[in-house]
Amino acid sequence: MRYLFRRAVELLATLLLASFLVFVVTEFSPGNVARKTLGAFALQEQVDLLYQRLHLNDPLLVRYGRWLGVLTGVIADPLQDPALKLDFKDPRGDRYFGNFGYSTLYKAPVNDVLWDRLGNTALLAGLAFAVIVPLSLVLGILAGMRAGSRLDRIVSTASIVMTSVPEFASGVILAAIFVVGLGWLPGTSPLDTESGWSIASQLVLPVTVLALYDAGYVARMVRSSMAEVMAKPYIRTAVLKGLNFRTVILRHALRNAMIAPFTVILLQVNWLIGGVVVTEMVFAYPGFGRMLLDASLFGDISLIEAATLIALLVAVTTQLLSDLGYRLLNPQVR
Amino acid sequence: MSLLSIRNLRVEYRTAAGVSVALPDFSLDIQEGERFGLVGESGCGKSTLIMAIMGYLGRNGAIAAGSIHFDGQDLTHASEQTLRGVRGSKIAIVYQEPATALNPTLTIGRQLMEVPITHAGAGTAQARRLAEQVLADVHLPDPASVMARYPNQLSGGQKQRVVIAMALLASPKLLLLDEPTTGLDVTVEAAVLDLVAELREKYRTALFYISHNLGVIARVADRIGVMYAGELVEDAAATALFADPRHPYTRGLLGAIPRLGSDKGSATLSPIPGNVPSPGAPRIGCAFAPRCDFAEPGACDQGPIRMYHAGPAHLARCVRFDQLGGVRRPPPSQAGAAPAAGAAVLEVDGLSKVFALGRARLVANDQLRFTASAGRVLAIVGESGSGKSTFARILCGLDTASGGSLRFAGADLAATRLRGRSQEQVAAIQMVFQNPDGTLNPAHSVGWPIGRALRKFGVSRRGAETEARVKALLELVRLPAHLRHALPRQLSGGQKQRIAIARAFAGNPTLLIADEPVSALDVSVQAAVINLLLSIQAEGRTSMVFISHDLALVRYLADEVVVLYLGKVMESGKVAALFAPPYHPYTEALLSAVPIPDPTVKQVRIRLEGEIPSPLNPGPGCRFAGRCPRKLGPVCDSDPPPVQEASPGHLIACHIPLATLAAVPPVFAQA
Amino acid sequence: MPSEAVLPAGSAAADPPGNTAGADPALRSAIADQLGRPASVEYSGRPALVEYSGRPAPGLLRRLPSSRVAMVGLGLILFWTVLAVLAPVLPIAPPNAQDFAAMGHPGSSARHWLGVDTLGRDMLSRLIWGGRTVLMVAPLAVVVAYAVGAALGLLAGYYRGWVDTVISRACDVILSFPLVVLYVILIANIGPSMLNIVLAVVLASAPGIARIVRGLVLSLAGHEFVAAAHLRRESDLYVMLVELLPNCRGPLITDFCLRLGFTTITIGTLGFLGLGLPPPTPDWGGMVQQATAMITVWPHMALYPCFAIVSLILGFNLLADGLSELALSD
């Protein structure tokens, strides 16, 4: 329990530092901040005015503190000040917990933009996860169970090939086959039925693309962990006790072989967040990843900061979960 | 009919380099209820033999010829199902490393209960009862709580007891023990060996005990086989084997280990020249011939050698078994008697080392006090946790003491790390490490650290001079000069230790620390390294601090001995004084635990309870009080023991009066 | 003693950069392997005179031909490398020259074997020149990342204590980012250029390398040869660079290959997201992006660069797999 608390504090610190890093990258140049907030057509005088009003000449750390203050609802969002005539209106008010600010790209409060897209992405990633985990576990275990066997070689080779195809390439290749060649599936996934394709059919390709790379990687991890365990002396002990192969695998090998991949599997969540950026781009999927990319290309500071913070939060939470699970699985560290 | 009958067994492994023959032609019979011991060095094929019997040679191993019959059943052609019925039920194994033989993620209980459930069709309740009963049989306190624990919650000795319990659960007819005490402390080893003997009586099982240690084998076996390069070279009753070995290899092994009671002044070790051949090395005729003093061209190199009857129930695979003559007692060494005690080169006084581990304190060295004389060998004896290695690290400057003094050549070095020491002081104290595989950097040629040391210590500056000195040092350790270009992985363990010795002597040290320098080496090469160390040390009048757990070896080479237990000096003095009463009760227990490679020597049987306790937060009394078989009473726990002088220079830290200790019978007696 | 079955192969290989939390078991076996036989340099003396204790083990690179997987990988890499090196002298059109006549029928023809792209530029030429770009940027970025990461890992593993805490924490922070997200916000803010891409790859990869090196150093530091170096009073820098670093070689060679493949993926992905090298520099990822709109009409424009990048990444991955298998197999 004390461990868990310590770990949570550590991860919170990591989260803070990481969000500071994002803040540094996006708001390092204060002139840029004012310019980006006002858009490309604003007059220099307007930019200068905003620069002064927002105290953008303050040190970076002070400005980061202010951003944290707005986020936690301690101070009011200065951009919503009517005196600025920015017309940044948020029905939730200018001071509340979770105030991510105003998106200049979508011309709406970040909280109006963010959550729907995050939901769409959660659907995509969740489905991919549901494919990756059973597939890679079964393949990895079967291959690692008898290292060097024919099945092992097939699985190993297949997983190397799978991890050699970047998501954008598999997206294009699969689209060329199933959309252009066979016409079985839609090439875009806007998640509405205007095109005549069902939502389910729109999900097939994005989920496949996301799952392919990861399943290959996780299967490889599971396989090598399983093979390593199978060579352990305690497996020999189990066999030479007279147990049958099935019992040896199920009771003695599996749990030990799952300890290392468990962490890896949970960390795939982190990986999927990256993967969705590309996949959503390929299939014009209205998700979080594409939103982040668009925000970055546009220079929508508040949205970038909000999105990366969410991504980091997810990443750090899964890390905490994987630590926990590791301790549950492994009696040696309990 | 024999219980186990192995006939002309040939086992091969397929490797990338081709087929490697691990066992060329192996035959052996073991009778019901027999106690058979098999001795062999690393790579001789003893583990392969065990796995062949169990039908578990792995994907790349196979029985190419011959047969194994067990209890009338042919195991060589048995189905997987038949094998499952034999494994763990009729034949069970006790493994070398209990820590890895147990599944880390299953409780002890589950791992034990599997055996009766699988083989006897027992229900859970019955299996639990049986498991608890056998845990009680191996003298584990509170079996029910042990059942619920995971392997990492038990000590090494406890784990080995669990493994033994697991093997005995199905009352096997044959128990295979594969070096079951290697890696355990001497006192724990003695207790495990006693346990095996006790349980054999109870379960009436035949024992097949494998070890590289002749002393251990002498204690457990009635009949002994000696194995060399995949072949059984001698097979005889234990007494006959030790009294009249008829194979030169057996003789070599016995000559290479010190006998208790012999010392460097009265005898010398005779090493077997050369190295143990790698498994599967090609050969014609006798595999031992290249290392054999008796090898005769025309007789020993003409095809396979058969087993000859050297006596009643005594077989030897040697053409010249009847021409070896009587056993030669090794001649006294040329080194002569120990040199007269010189001035003190090292004075340790009140030296302590305390590590803070969170809130706990680990007292690794506690008020150590002893001196080492110039040109002599001081042995520090202790089991794990005794703090002997911590002391070595402080002495050579890798660590600093928390208190006390360490006077060497006029300076107090207790608090001075290597950085703070002068070049002379650094060169003066050098070390030879325990593990030959870690002692040399795998990325550099073996000559390179020697040359580097020569330059760092200012012995030589120019390239050519360094080169010449490196060659000279290799000659000093009896290695060919060209070997300096080799990488560590191309050298044998003994050769690596020689390089380490050469490296240590590069700066002409006045004090050499040898930290268990031969404990990881094969028996047949240990003697050569010991002889080398002693001759260099004696020639150069170098002082040596020799750290060891091997009392026979210490008896052989030390002039003075310090016995440590949990960071405290229990006893110190001249070697002869230490090995005779009055003993410190701990020394007495250690001596009684040493496995002696001579069945005619009778040892007093003293066994310590439990295991070496944790050195964390020690109490005020005697460290040994908790396990002391001669404990007086509460005073041992509450007061630090007084240091009593039994004879000049012989100090014993104990509450028991000297007169009582002196009246204790000697541990050893010749039958 | 021959061990049961074949050792787990590819356990070191199964660690893609940036995903290091799962590396520990793989790392451990890699280290154990490394200490058993550091197999990447050849013994240069006179082997015939040495009395071997075991079988002579020639260096990893010399044994490479015995691994079919590694040779296939090496073949793929060499194929692209040779084309990239020879690009300026090959009889191909300049990568940015537009052939307006071919735009009507952009498919393959006698003039343009692989056809032209939407702007009438020769696909074959752009593929070869795109390979040249990747094969310049990826190795450069990985080498710099290795220099930074290895230095950090050495410092953290050797000094431990607060140095380790600071370095490890900093690495944790960067590694907690989803990689693509990190790349996107970085490049979008500092701008796409070759230098910035290299910088981004270094920032993202160095922590993973530092972690591996730190782990290796921690496990090596307990060995007696390090104590022996201290007993000669060698400097810290000497111990790190001469005693420790050379022994990290084995696992790092495999990781280096994997990382090259992974960096190729990264560069391609950045190009595809519009954050790659600015046009008109030929860049496989960028070529795919420009062609996706035309995929229903002219799929070859998007597919050829996809095949190109997959073949190169496959080459790196197969080589890495072969290397780790070789390291474990003897």
Side-chain angles (χ1 to χ4, degrees):
Chain A
M1 207 54 227
R2 253 188 62 217
Y3 166 83
L4 192 64
F5 181 73
R6 210 191 67 216
R7 197 74 191 110
V9 171
E10 264 175 33
L11 288 173
L12 197 70
T14 305
L15 191 62
L16 270 179
L17 277 170
S19 69
F20 179 63
L21 195 71
V22 173
F23 190 84
V24 171
V25 171
T26 49
E27 303 204 14
F28 184 74
S29 149
N32 254 336
V33 175
R35 167 59 69 188
K36 281 180 179 166
T37 307
L38 291 168
F41 305 109
L43 300 169
Q44 190 57 42
E45 292 87 75
Q46 290 175 291
V47 173
D48 292 342
L49 185 72
L50 188 68
Y51 187 91
Q52 280 168 13
R53 286 290 185 84
L54 293 179
H55 302 285
L56 288 177
N57 54 347
D58 285 345
L60 209 54
L61 212 54
V62 175
R63 287 190 280 138
Y64 175 70
R66 220 180 280 141
W67 176 77
L68 268 186
V70 173
L71 176 65
T72 48
V74 178
I75 52 178
D77 183 1
L79 287 171
Q80 285 191 38
D81 187 354
L84 287 174
K85 300 198 180 71
L86 281 171
D87 200 25
F88 285 2
K89 286 202 201 82
D90 190 338
R92 300 167 190 84
D94 62 359
R95 186 187 302 205
Y96 63 95
F97 183 82
N99 185 356
F100 285 115
Y102 195 85
S103 161
T104 50
L105 171 64
Y106 294 94
K107 309 236 179 300
V110 169
N111 279 314
D112 288 352
V113 180
L114 191 64
W115 302 105
D116 281 354
R117 287 176 171 77
L118 198 62
N120 290 344
T121 295
L123 175 71
L124 181 58
L127 285 173
F129 210 64
V131 174
I132 293 165
V133 174
L135 186 74
S136 53
L137 281 186
V138 169
L139 288 181
I141 288 166
L142 288 178
M145 203 164 76
R146 297 181 197 272
S149 68
R150 202 185 159 88
L151 180 68
D152 178 30
R153 281 200 295 272
I154 293 171
V155 171
S156 298
T157 311
S159 57
I160 291 179
V161 174
M162 280 154 86
T163 47
S164 299
V165 187
E167 277 110 346
F168 73 85
S170 58
V172 166
I173 294 169
L174 290 178
I177 297 172
F178 293 101
V179 180
V180 182
L182 301 170
W184 289 356
L185 293 164
T188 55
S189 313
L191 292 189
D192 56 40
T193 45
E194 277 169 34
S195 58
W197 293 97
S198 66
I199 302 279
S201 68
Q202 293 178 23
L203 282 168
V204 174
L205 280 182
V207 169
T208 312
V209 166
L210 262 186
L212 264 183
Y213 185 94
D214 263 14
Y217 171 59
V218 179
R220 256 174 114 177
M221 280 304 291
V222 174
R223 182 231 166 252
S224 74
S225 173
M226 187 73 187
E228 204 180 303
V229 166
M230 288 306 288
K232 285 271 163 48
Y234 56 76
I235 295 298
R236 186 184 67 185
T237 308
V239 172
L240 297 188
K241 253 183 204 177
L243 303 180
N244 61 37
F245 192 67
R246 211 182 119 87
T247 316
V248 172
I249 296 293
L250 292 179
R251 193 178 303 159
H252 287 267
L254 272 189
R255 179 160 170 190
N256 288 292
M258 283 308 104
I259 293 174
F262 178 79
T263 327
V264 176
I265 287 172
L266 269 181
L267 289 179
Q268 289 315 299
V269 172
N270 204 341
W271 189 264
L272 284 175
I273 298 173
V276 293
V277 177
V278 181
T279 313
E280 291 177 0
M281 165 94 172
V282 175
F283 296 101
Y285 187 95
F288 175 85
R290 205 159 60 107
M291 177 199 75
L292 176 67
L293 182 67
D294 289 343
S296 297
L297 293 173
F298 184 81
D300 185 344
I301 294 171
S302 298
L303 193 55
I304 297 172
E305 286 165 353
T308 41
L309 190 68
I310 298 289
L312 282 167
L313 195 66
V314 174
V316 164
T317 312
T318 48
Q319 211 169 334
L320 191 63
L321 284 177
S322 84
D323 284 355
L324 254 178
Y326 181 81
R327 293 174 78 81
L328 282 177
L329 274 175
N330 191 352
Q332 286 172 86
V333 296
R334 248 184 255 159
Chain B
M1 195 183 64
S2 318
L3 178 67
L4 177 71
S5 171
I6 303 172
R7 285 278 164 275
N8 305 104
L9 183 71
R10 183 180 176 88
V11 176
E12 297 175 348
Y13 288 100
R14 277 174 288 117
T15 66
V19 171
S20 151
V21 183
L23 299 175
D25 183 2
F26 193 92
S27 299
L28 177 71
D29 282 272
I30 291 179
Q31 310 304 325
E32 219 149 312
E34 196 177 14
R35 303 199 301 168
F36 180 75
L38 187 65
V39 182
E41 296 178 282
S42 61
C44 74
K46 42 194 203 297
S47 301
T48 299
L49 179 63
I50 286 198
M51 290 307 143
I53 295 171
M54 298 303 264
Y56 192 70
L57 287 165
R59 195 174 270 279
N60 57 342
I63 294 174
S67 68
I68 303 170
H69 281 84
F70 174 79
D71 214 7
Q73 224 173 353
D74 183 1
L75 296 184
T76 17
H77 303 102
S79 68
E80 191 65 20
Q81 198 177 350
T82 315
L83 280 176
R84 278 209 301 273
V86 173
R87 291 169 175 169
S89 155
K90 292 179 181 156
I91 310 180
I93 307 189
V94 177
Y95 300 90
Q96 175 167 5
E97 285 179 60
T100 58
L102 293 171
N103 190 330
T105 57
L106 290 180
T107 59
I108 302 295
R110 283 197 70 178
Q111 298 188 55
L112 287 175
M113 284 156 63
E114 271 180 348
V115 178
I117 291 173
T118 309
H119 292 297
T124 315
Q126 193 193 355
R128 174 171 298 279
R129 205 168 39 73
L130 283 167
E132 285 184 11
Q133 190 188 327
V134 74
L135 281 179
D137 280 352
V138 297
H139 306 305
L140 278 170
D142 196 2
S145 97
V146 171
M147 295 274 284
R149 276 189 251 174
Y150 288 96
N152 66 306
Q153 295 167 314
L154 301 176
S155 72
Q158 287 173 326
K159 272 182 243 178
Q160 194 55 289
R161 283 168 192 267
V162 168
V163 173
I164 293 172
M166 196 154 78
L168 289 174
L169 254 172
S171 302
K173 290 194 157 181
L174 176 64
L175 186 61
L176 302 175
L177 299 110
D178 184 7
E179 306 247 14
T181 60
T182 305
L184 298 179
D185 275 314
V186 195
T187 53
V188 180
E189 172 182 81
V192 169
L193 293 182
D194 282 358
L195 176 72
V196 169
E198 177 198 328
L199 293 173
R200 194 195 81 93
E201 294 307 314
K202 187 164 180 172
Y203 288 84
R204 313 260 17 126
T205 164
L207 289 189
F208 185 159
Y209 198 109
I210 292 185
S211 179
H212 68 280
N213 187 327
L214 282 161
V216 169
I217 289 287
R219 187 175 281 174
V220 294
D222 301 321
R223 195 180 122 218
I224 296 175
V226 179
M227 204 169 169
Y228 186 79
E231 288 181 320
L232 198 61
V233 295
E234 188 157 6
D235 181 348
T239 41
L241 189 95
F242 283 101
D244 185 22
R246 301 312 305 177
H247 193 282
Y249 175 62
T250 316
R251 294 193 169 203
L253 280 183
L254 287 169
I257 48 175
R259 304 227 153 188
L260 213 89
S262 71
D263 61 45
K264 60 186 170 186
S266 67
T268 187
L269 302 180
S270 8
I272 305 177
N275 289 305
V276 180
S278 58
R283 74 179 75 150
I284 305 161
C286 177
F288 186 62
R291 302 174 71 189
C292 183
D293 290 339
F294 299 93
E296 194 178 62
C300 298
D301 50 6
Q302 304 292 311
I305 313 285
R306 68 176 176 89
M307 278 290 216
Y308 292 87
H309 283 276
H314 191 155
L315 297 168
R317 196 180 294 277
C318 180
V319 200
R320 307 191 60 201
F321 72 93
D322 52 353
Q323 299 163 32
L324 304 179
V327 177
R328 289 171 305 156
R329 283 290 152 200
S333 73
Q334 282 78 38
V345 67
L346 175 74
E347 288 172 84
V348 181
D349 197 358
L351 193 82
S352 297
K353 177 68 183 179
V354 181
F355 295 100
L357 299 174
R359 253 167 279 164
R361 283 173 359 117
L362 192 156
V363 184
N365 285 168
D366 191 359
Q367 303 282 329
L368 300 187
R369 184 158 188 270
F370 52 83
T371 53
S373 320
R376 310 192 108 199
V377 180
L378 170 82
I380 300 183
V381 176
E383 296 179 282
S384 55
S386 64
K388 51 193 197 299
S389 296
T390 305
F391 171 72
R393 285 181 61 84
I394 295 170
L395 179 54
C396 69
L398 288 167
D399 213 332
T400 53
S402 319
S405 71
L406 187 81
R407 297 201 71 78
F408 174 79
D412 181 6
L413 297 179
T416 323
R417 254 177 214 284
L418 282 160
R419 290 256 181 280
R421 297 187 182 184
S422 69
Q423 191 187 55
E424 291 73 35
Q425 285 170 332
V426 171
I429 306 180
Q430 284 292 307
M431 186 154 166
V432 175
F433 299 93
Q434 174 175 12
N435 175 12
D437 295 325
T439 199
L440 298 173
N441 191 329
H444 300 300
S445 74
V446 300
W448 178 85
I450 305 176
R452 187 78 197 169
L454 287 168
R455 282 192 297 276
K456 285 299 263 191
F457 295 144
V459 179
S460 64
R461 303 241 171 262
R462 286 173 301 107
E465 189 190 346
T466 309
E467 187 81 359
R469 279 189 181 268
V470 170
K471 284 187 198 171
L473 279 165
L474 285 183
E475 197 173 313
L476 180 73
V477 296
R478 324 263 198 281
L479 286 178
H482 68 255
L483 221 57
R484 68 189 185 280
H485 300 295
L487 285 173
R489 68 159 188 268
Q490 296 171 306
L491 265 52
S492 69
Q495 288 172 324
K496 284 183 221 175
Q497 284 305 64
R498 285 162 190 263
I499 295 286
I501 293 168
R503 177 178 64 191
F505 277 96
N508 297 316
T510 46
L511 177 67
L512 182 75
I513 309 167
D515 186 0
E516 307 244 18
V518 296
S519 66
L521 300 181
D522 273 316
V523 179
S524 67
V525 288
Q526 279 185 8
V529 173
I530 289 294
N531 284 353
L532 178 72
L533 261 180
L534 285 179
S535 75
I536 301 177
Q537 177 262 332
E539 273 165 39
R541 301 262 315 140
T542 314
S543 311
M544 181 153 76
V545 171
F546 191 93
I547 294 173
S548 182
H549 67 278
D550 183 345
L551 283 162
L553 190 56
V554 165
R555 175 73 187 92
Y556 171 76
L557 58 73
D559 298 306
E560 285 132 13
V561 183
V562 173
V563 179
L564 289 184
Y565 184 79
L566 287 180
K568 260 306 216 198
V569 177
M570 296 285 119
E571 186 172 3
S572 63
K574 294 238 166 30
V575 65
L578 240 94
F579 281 72
Y583 306 111
H584 187 283
Y586 175 61
T587 315
E588 188 187 8
L590 271 182
L591 288 173
S592 129
V594 186
I596 305 294
D598 186 350
T600 60
V601 171
K602 292 279 165 277
Q603 249 169 310
V604 172
R605 188 172 170 281
I606 297 167
R607 292 295 176 261
L608 298 182
E609 288 295 310
E611 313 221 358
I612 299 164
S614 139
L616 288 177
N617 300 329
C622 174
R623 292 286 164 84
F624 187 54
R627 294 172 79 204
C628 183
R630 301 191 185 277
K631 188 177 171 182
L632 285 179
V635 64
C636 293
D637 290 317
S638 56
D639 295 352
V643 177
Q644 314 181 65
E645 187 156 29
S647 60
H650 182 195
L651 304 174
I652 299 177
C654 188
H655 286 288
I656 303 172
L658 276 178
T660 317
L661 289 176
V664 162
V667 170
F668 304 104
Q670 201 76 29
Chain C
M1 195 69 260
S3 62
E4 149 65 359
V6 186
L7 281 155
S11 48
D15 168 37
N19 233 338
T20 40
D24 289 350
L27 193 62
R28 265 197 308 269
S29 74
I31 293 163
D33 167 60
Q34 174 65 8
L35 292 173
R37 49 190 171 316
S40 52
V41 276
E42 282 83 9
Y43 166 54
S44 55
R46 285 149 287 176
L49 298 174
V50 178
E51 183 191 352
Y52 293 110
S53 63
R55 141 179 56 129
L60 195 58
L61 297 180
R62 201 180 281 175
R63 284 183 295 133
L64 202 59
S66 67
S67 164
R68 215 173 55 202
V69 174
M71 289 316 281
V72 172
L74 197 64
L76 286 169
I77 297 166
L78 283 180
F79 171 76
W80 284 110
T81 312
V82 168
L83 284 181
V85 170
L86 296 181
V89 297
L90 285 177
I92 49 174
N96 293 324
Q98 287 176 284
D99 182 350
F100 297 104
M103 281 172 71
H105 300 281
S108 75
S109 65
R111 268 172 69 89
H112 305 284
W113 292 359
L114 298 181
V116 295
D117 69 3
T118 45
L119 297 175
R121 296 174 296 193
D122 183 62
M123 286 293 290
L124 179 64
S125 168
R126 285 186 72 74
L127 283 182
I128 292 172
W129 283 88
R132 196 176 156 94
T133 314
V134 169
L135 283 170
M136 267 159 52
V137 180
L140 177 70
V142 176
V143 166
V144 178
Y146 253 88
V148 176
L152 290 174
L154 272 175
L155 290 171
Y158 183 76
Y159 286 108
R160 307 187 202 181
W162 66 267
V163 179
D164 184 19
T165 309
V166 170
I167 292 175
S168 295
R169 279 282 154 271
C171 291
D172 283 350
V173 168
I174 293 174
L175 290 174
S176 69
F177 277 93
L179 261 185
V180 177
V181 173
L182 184 64
Y183 281 125
V184 165
I185 59 165
L186 260 179
I187 299 290
N189 277 284
I190 60 178
S193 71
M194 195 193 274
L195 179 70
N196 284 350
I197 289 175
V198 170
L199 281 178
V201 170
V202 170
L203 181 77
S205 315
I209 298 165
R211 241 189 217 188
I212 296 178
V213 173
R214 172 183 174 274
L216 288 167
V217 168
L218 280 177
S219 77
L220 283 167
H223 280 78
E224 289 88 345
F225 65 82
V226 179
H230 286 303
L231 284 181
R232 297 196 299 268
R233 261 205 327 192
E234 301 284 7
S235 68
D236 288 350
L237 195 66
Y238 176 91
V239 174
M240 280 189 264
L241 294 183
V242 183
E243 299 283 352
L244 296 172
L245 194 58
N247 287 302
C248 301
R249 226 166 13 198
L252 291 188
I253 288 178
T254 306
D255 180 75
F256 188 85
C257 286
L258 278 176
R259 226 168 263 279
L260 276 175
F262 191 76
T263 305
T264 308
I265 294 187
T266 302
I267 294 169
T269 302
L270 285 174
F272 178 78
L273 295 178
L275 295 166
L277 295 170
T281 321
D283 164 33
W284 291 343
M287 289 165 75
V288 179
Q289 186 214 17
Q290 288 149 26
T292 41
M294 304 296 287
I295 191 165
T296 46
V297 198
W298 301 111
H300 74 272
M301 293 180 189
L303 283 176
Y304 289 156
C306 282
F307 294 147
I309 196 165
V310 169
S311 66
L312 181 60
I313 297 163
L314 195 61
F316 287 128
N317 285 351
L318 288 177
L319 182 60
D321 193 64
L323 280 172
S324 71
E325 195 132 345
L326 275 182
L328 288 164
S329 68
D330 61 349

